[in-house]
Every structure is written in C-alpha cells, then in structure tokens.
Amino acid sequence: MNRGQRKRASPALDGAPGAGAGSPEPFETIFRTSDTLMLLTDPGTGRILDINTAALKALGQTRDAVIGRTSVEIGLFASPEARDSFVRDLLGGEDIRHKEVVLSSPGGGVLMGEMTKEVLHERGRTFLLVAIHDISRQRSLVEALEAERRRLENIIEGTQVATWEWEIDSGACAFNSLWAAMVGETLLDLKPITLATWEERVHPEDRPRVLDVLNQHLKGQTPRYECEYRLRHRAGGWVWVLDRGKVIEQTAEGRPLRMAGTHLDITERKQAEEAAQRSRVELLRSNADLEQFALAISHDLRQPLRMIASYAGLLERRLTGRMNGEEEEFLGYILDGAVRMDQMLLSLLDYSRVGRGGAACLVVDTRALVDEAQHFLRPVIEETRASVTTIGPWPRTCVRRDELVRVFQNLIGNALKYRCPNTAPVLTLTSTVGEGRWSVSLQDNGLGFAPEEKDTLFRVFGRLNPGTGGLGDGPEGFGIGLAVCRRILEGHSGTLEAASDGPGRGSTFTFTLPLRHTPCGTAPRAVG
C-alpha cells in the first residue's frame, strides 16, 4: 500500500478491521478483491483481525475459524520450521519483502508464496498487513523446467553431442563445452563466439558445399539442414562432423531469426568408410588379378599340359608292344596325370568365372529351376534308381537363372554321387518361405560325414580323406562343385550350410536367399 492508500484506509484501521467496523473504499475494495492473499493482524498479540477472500480460499479456511486466532492456531505455516523462521525475521525487525514461505493448503498440501509485511501506524495504533503472492504454479513450472534441463544435459553428456545456436541477424553463436572440446578448445578460448568462429574452421574444400546446403535451408527450400564435413582441430588435424540444425524462430514474414542444432563427431565412422573404400579398391584390383589368372589358366598353363599329353600319346602309340608292363604303367601315369591336371585347371577356371557371366537377375519360378536341374540329371537319376521328392511352397524370386539351376544341379548331383553302396538314393527337397527369405534343404541318405569335417566340403579341391566313411576316393570329382554353389549363393547375398549326423547317416545341405520380387535388370557384381 502506498501512503495515499494507507491514509484512505485510516477509518477502517481506527475501527480495527475485522472487529466489526466497516472498511470504506478504496481499502476495502483492494483488500477484499485482490488475488493476493492478505491478512491484517495485531502485532502485539499475533491475532488475525481480518483476512481477504483469496487467503481464505487458498488456505481452505472459513472467516469465523480464522478471525481472532493466531497463525499458529490456524496452522498457517506448513511446518514449525517455516513458522519459526518467519517469527524470527519478524521479531528481529527485518524488512520482509518477497520472502518465500511454505504455507498449508487444503487437503494436506503445501502452497509456495512470496510474503511481504507492512507495519501500519495509524492514530496511535499499530497494525501488521501481511500480503502473500501465490507462486506455487510458477515454482512448479520452474522445477519442471529445471528437471527438463537436467534431463537434457544428461542426454547430451551421455551421447556426447555438441550443440550450437545462431542468432542470424547479429551473427552471435552459442556452443556447449562439448563443441569446444571436439575441436580441442575450451569455451573461454573461443570467445567471442560468432559465426566466424565456426566458419573459419570448416575445411576449405567443404566450405562451398556446406554454405550451399545451409542457404537452401535458410531460404525454406529444405525442411532441415544436414551436412557432413570437416572441422579443423586445434592440434592441426581434421574432425569429421555430422551437422544438423533447423530454423527455430522467424519473423511473421518468414525471415529466419535463429537456428539451433547439433554436431556429432563421426571421425571414426569416416575412417571406417575410408578403410572400406580402400578394401574395395584392393578387392577390385584382386578381382582384376584373378581375371588375369583365369586367362593364364585358360591359355598359358594348359598349353604345356596339352603338349605333355600329346607327346605322351605319341610315345604310347610308337612304343606299343615294345614296352614292358612297368614302362606302360609309368607312361599311363603321365597321361592320366596330364589329363587330370587339365581338368583341375578347367574346374578352377570355372570357379573363378562364377558371378562374372554378365547375366541379369530376373524373377523366375523356383520350382522350374528344380525341374530343369533334374532334367539334366535324368540319366544319373534313372541309373541309380534314385527318388527325388519336392515339398513346400516354391516362390517366384529374382535370381540369375542359369546360376541357380547350377546350384540345384550340383547339390542333387553331389547327393547322387556320394550315395551308400548298394542303396538307392532317397532325396528330399524342402522349400520354406518366411520373413522375406527363401530357404531350401536337400536331405539325402548318402555317405554323410563327420560334423567336424563340414568346412572341408566348401573348400576348392576340398574332399574328405579316404577311410573316414565320407566322400573318400571312390566317386570321381575334384571337390569344386560345393565351392561353386556357395560362391553363387553368396553372390546372391545368400548362405549355404551342411550338416550330418556322421559317416553313413546321410547329409543335409541348406541354402537361404533373400526374396526379391522386382527384377534387378543389371549384370551381377563380381564376387571376390
């Protein structure tokens, strides 16, 4: 209350408000209608002489229950400590203004308030006017904002994300300590922080691209700003960052005023990408070397073998009838060795060409692939009296047709080749589809193998040792068919595995491919 208000209130004070005398305007109006909690008390006895409606409502009291009683008696304070603190300040003569207090509220809750006392001396009497401004909602909001601030700080600290803000008109920027640490600085080292603080650290080769992306967002052409580039570190190196941001304040006309965003250190990721790129280059070079090696096998290495076989054949014809049994045996070894070596080189050349034929991936009926493979193997199936059963759904998917036919032909042919003696082969092909993948298992009743030997099956020229009950030396072959199958399937982003309960107990070969229902239309990538 100002001096004028107190003078106008003097008639009410003379009559001891709350004790029966009327309180004329304007004091009565201010006192009764104010949203601020107000109490008029006798400083000598501490008894309440009057209380306004806002205070009664906030404290959950009635007028009759309050008038003539002390603040202690009506339980005004939420705790004895809060009451004692206020009384000490009051008795000590302290000028109490905007002092935070905790008061009782209906239902056993608490009410946060800012208390101001005013001692009124009027015509020989002293009154104490206590005004309390309810700040419970403001305090709750402040506490909620503080909790949110701590939560965001914990997230930022936990994720090690650098943050930035940019006042576009002034150029002033605000970085957090993680931003400074990312470039080897402290916030104190960076002051004054402006847009130039950031821009001068951007790699010269990256700066035009970064500014172009930033300007596109400022012009409203993109919903957000995102760019990867390098920042200069204090030690002299470069730090790769992923910079993301957005305009968060603009004028009514849409002119941007303020941006905020984050910087994420992606140096390790970029180094990994560079290492992967180097590996890719080395792989391409290796593939090129393999191409040259394949050509060498096809021409240079096979030529001497053809000469050996040719001249050995001439010797055999000229010396027929003139050699003893041992000499004929030795010459036979030479011829057989040359022919076998030529066939092995052809197999290796065949393996190297997998995935390099230039055929495109097309959507095919997978059951038709199985039928085509069986057509090629029909003479062997009939000769061995084998039965081949197909089970399950056979989907349409995108593959290189000839290569998948070859997979089925090799797997079925392998099962027929490595059958148990005097036993008709029984083969079961089971197809399953689920979760975007297609799987095929081929189960047979053949020779089988020891579980620890399964990795040998997929090596180039990898054949199980004789005497193990596995593949042995009986069936002809060079150990290249399964290696070719795995190479084809890996070129289709698939897998091939083998399992067996042991020698003489059959085998199961299972391959899995991703289901693709759209033709790729491009030549396959080199496998290497």
Side-chain angles (χ1 to χ4, degrees):
M1 298 171 62
N2 58 35
R3 185 179 300 274
Q5 289 172 329
R6 290 206 303 271
K7 284 183 177 181
R8 287 192 293 273
S10 59
L13 298 175
D14 286 339
S23 298
E25 296 289 354
F27 178 77
E28 178 72 14
T29 301
I30 296 172
F31 188 83
R32 299 297 176 201
T33 62
S34 175
D35 290 335
T36 301
L37 286 59
M38 291 186 181
L39 298 91
L40 195 64
T41 67
D42 184 337
T45 64
R47 299 194 177 280
I48 298 171
L49 302 177
D50 204 351
I51 183 170
N52 72 350
T53 303
L56 289 172
K57 183 178 179 181
L59 301 176
Q61 300 281 357
T62 64
R63 187 177 183 80
D64 292 339
V66 170
I67 299 300
R69 303 179 68 187
T70 67
S71 61
V72 175
E73 291 172 342
I74 67 171
L76 177 65
F77 294 96
S79 67
E81 293 79 11
R83 179 199 62 206
D84 293 345
S85 173
F86 177 72
V87 171
R88 281 195 302 269
D89 294 341
L90 186 62
L91 296 178
E94 180 179 335
D95 185 17
I96 301 175
R97 293 189 180 277
H98 306 294
K99 176 182 175 63
E100 289 193 6
V101 292
V102 183
L103 307 177
S104 299
S105 67
V110 296
L111 181 148
M112 295 294 301
E114 281 186 347
M115 181 179 288
T116 299
K117 75 177 180 67
E118 183 79 17
V119 179
L120 307 178
H121 302 283
E122 298 292 345
R123 301 182 182 182
R125 298 189 62 183
T126 301
F127 299 92
L128 182 65
L129 179 64
V130 177
I132 305 169
H133 179 59
D134 186 356
I135 61 170
S136 301
R137 178 174 174 77
Q138 293 91 318
R139 176 54 59 87
S140 297
L141 291 174
V142 169
E143 291 175 351
L145 288 173
E146 178 62 20
E148 181 70 10
R149 184 189 65 81
R150 289 194 300 268
R151 186 180 71 84
L152 291 175
E153 284 183 350
N154 291 335
I155 292 174
I156 290 171
E157 181 64 28
T159 56
Q160 291 292 291
V161 173
T163 64
W164 54 266
E165 289 184 86
W166 174 32
E167 298 288 345
I168 298 173
D169 287 344
S170 66
C173 292
F175 302 148
N176 68 350
S177 58
L178 291 172
W179 196 99
M182 187 170 57
V183 293
E185 304 278 6
T186 67
L187 289 177
L188 187 61
D189 295 331
L190 293 174
K191 289 185 177 180
I193 300 174
T194 65
L195 184 64
T197 308
W198 161 77
E199 190 173 355
E200 66 184 10
R201 283 173 169 76
V202 179
H203 196 289
E205 295 177 1
D206 300 337
R207 191 176 296 133
R209 172 175 54 86
V210 174
L211 294 178
D212 180 59
V213 175
L214 177 60
N215 287 328
Q216 287 181 33
H217 178 62
L218 292 176
K219 293 176 181 178
Q221 297 173 358
T222 57
R224 62 186 56 84
Y225 158 73
E226 181 172 326
C227 196
E228 294 180 2
Y229 57 88
R230 290 162 287 181
L231 286 176
R232 189 182 69 252
H233 193 275
R234 183 175 183 175
W238 297 96
V239 178
W240 274 98
V241 299
L242 171 58
D243 191 0
R244 288 172 171 158
K246 188 174 183 179
V247 172
I248 58 174
E249 185 179 348
Q250 56 189 8
T251 65
E253 296 77 22
R255 183 172 63 84
L257 296 176
R258 188 157 59 103
M259 275 190 73
T262 62
H263 277 172
L264 181 64
D265 188 338
I266 58 171
T267 304
E268 290 187 4
R269 193 198 84 192
K270 281 294 185 179
Q271 290 173 344
E273 289 177 357
E274 290 172 0
Q277 177 63 18
R278 288 194 297 271
S279 297
R280 179 177 175 275
V281 172
E282 292 172 1
L283 180 60
L284 291 174
R285 186 182 300 113
S286 176
N287 284 337
D289 293 341
L290 185 58
E291 290 279 9
Q292 293 301 317
F293 176 63
L295 290 173
I297 293 175
S298 179
H299 300 286
D300 302 334
L301 295 182
R302 292 184 62 212
Q303 181 62 29
L305 285 174
R306 287 194 292 267
M307 290 180 62
I308 293 172
S310 177
Y311 283 104
L314 288 173
L315 284 175
E316 183 181 36
R317 287 193 295 273
R318 289 188 180 185
L319 298 177
T320 297
R322 298 164 55 184
M323 295 183 292
N324 58 36
E326 187 177 64
E327 290 170 341
E328 289 180 353
E329 182 179 3
F330 290 163
L331 188 57
Y333 286 152
I334 293 173
L335 282 167
D336 289 344
V339 172
R340 184 173 179 83
M341 177 63 73
D342 188 57
Q343 291 174 340
M344 291 179 72
L345 289 175
L346 286 174
S347 297
L348 188 60
L349 179 63
D350 191 37
Y351 176 79
S352 71
R353 286 173 173 167
V354 171
R356 300 172 184 272
C361 285
L362 299 175
V363 176
V364 300
D365 179 357
T366 55
R367 178 55 188 268
L369 304 181
V370 178
D371 293 340
E372 187 172 342
Q374 290 188 73
H375 174 74
F376 289 126
L377 294 168
R378 180 58 55 194
V380 183
I381 292 174
E382 293 176 352
E383 178 186 346
T384 59
R385 292 177 291 123
S387 67
V388 182
T389 304
T390 55
I391 300 174
W394 294 86
R396 293 180 61 82
T397 187
C398 185
V399 294
R400 289 184 283 276
R401 179 186 179 87
D402 291 344
E403 291 188 355
L404 260 291
V405 170
R406 187 173 183 183
V407 168
F408 282 114
Q409 189 173 338
N410 283 2
L411 291 177
I412 296 173
N414 193 72
L416 298 174
K417 183 185 298 183
Y418 299 108
R419 62 189 180 277
C420 290
N422 303 318
T423 302
V426 177
L427 281 60
T428 303
L429 278 163
T430 303
S431 171
T432 58
V433 176
E435 297 183 357
R437 300 190 71 80
W438 170 47
S439 295
V440 175
S441 293
L442 172 60
Q443 187 175 15
D444 63 50
N445 63 338
L447 292 174
F449 55 89
E452 63 271 14
E453 295 178 322
K454 68 177 181 179
D455 290 338
T456 305
L457 298 173
F458 300 106
R459 296 175 188 165
V460 177
F461 303 134
R463 303 182 68 218
L464 300 187
N465 295 325
T468 64
L471 305 187
D473 280 344
E476 296 180 356
F478 299 102
I480 200 79
L482 292 177
V484 168
C485 288
R486 174 171 277 187
R487 190 174 175 87
I488 289 173
L489 292 167
E490 288 178 348
H492 284 76
S493 302
T495 60
L496 174 61
E497 300 295 336
S500 175
D501 291 333
R505 305 182 66 178
S507 306
T508 300
F509 289 85
T510 302
F511 72 78
T512 301
L513 291 176
L515 274 176
R516 299 189 178 100
H517 302 295
T518 303
C520 301
T522 56
R525 296 177 61 182
V527 179

